Amino acid sequence: LVSLGAQIKVYPNPASGKVYIASPVPVSVSLSSMDGKLLMYRDHVQQINLGDYADGIYLLRITDENGLLIRNEKIMKQY
């Protein structure tokens, strides 16, 4: 059985604007800075926009509808 986390694709990475989240199930995402500050939270997403954030590395936390962690992904924002 392939884990749900392995089935989720997050692309492109690094990104300058939109980041797409391809998942077989509805997911929620939170975007945090590396120091742990929550920057964004969205339910039932397929994409997020990093365009307004400074260049750097961010932590994307992907959870299922019940709030259970599916996957953590580091995303690099750069122009």
Side-chain angles (χ1 to χ4, degrees), residues 8-29:
I8 294 175
K9 304 285 180 245
V10 178
Y11 62 94
N13 190 6
S16 59
K18 286 189 171 139
V19 174
Y20 298 91
I21 299 134
S23 170
V25 298
V27 294
S28 299
V29 299

Side-chain angles (χ1 to χ4, degrees), residues 2-75:
V2 177
S3 77
L4 187 55
Q7 295 178 53
I8 294 175
K9 304 285 180 245
V10 178
Y11 62 94
N13 190 6
S16 59
K18 286 189 171 139
V19 174
Y20 298 91
I21 299 134
S23 170
V25 298
V27 294
S28 299
V29 299
S30 60
L31 185 72
S32 301
S33 57
M34 291 309 287
D35 63 4
K37 183 178 169 202
L38 181 64
L39 304 172
M40 172 199 309
Y41 178 84
R42 301 275 189 277
D43 278 322
H44 300 105
V45 294
Q46 295 175 321
Q47 68 183 38
I48 59 171
N49 191 346
L50 297 181
D52 293 336
Y53 297 100
D55 288 6
I57 297 175
Y58 296 90
L59 184 63
L60 188 67
R61 180 181 166 91
I62 303 170
T63 56
D64 69 11
E65 294 178 287
N66 300 314
L68 296 172
L69 178 66
I70 297 171
R71 184 161 149 196
N72 280 319
E73 181 89 16
K74 283 185 182 166
I75 297 216

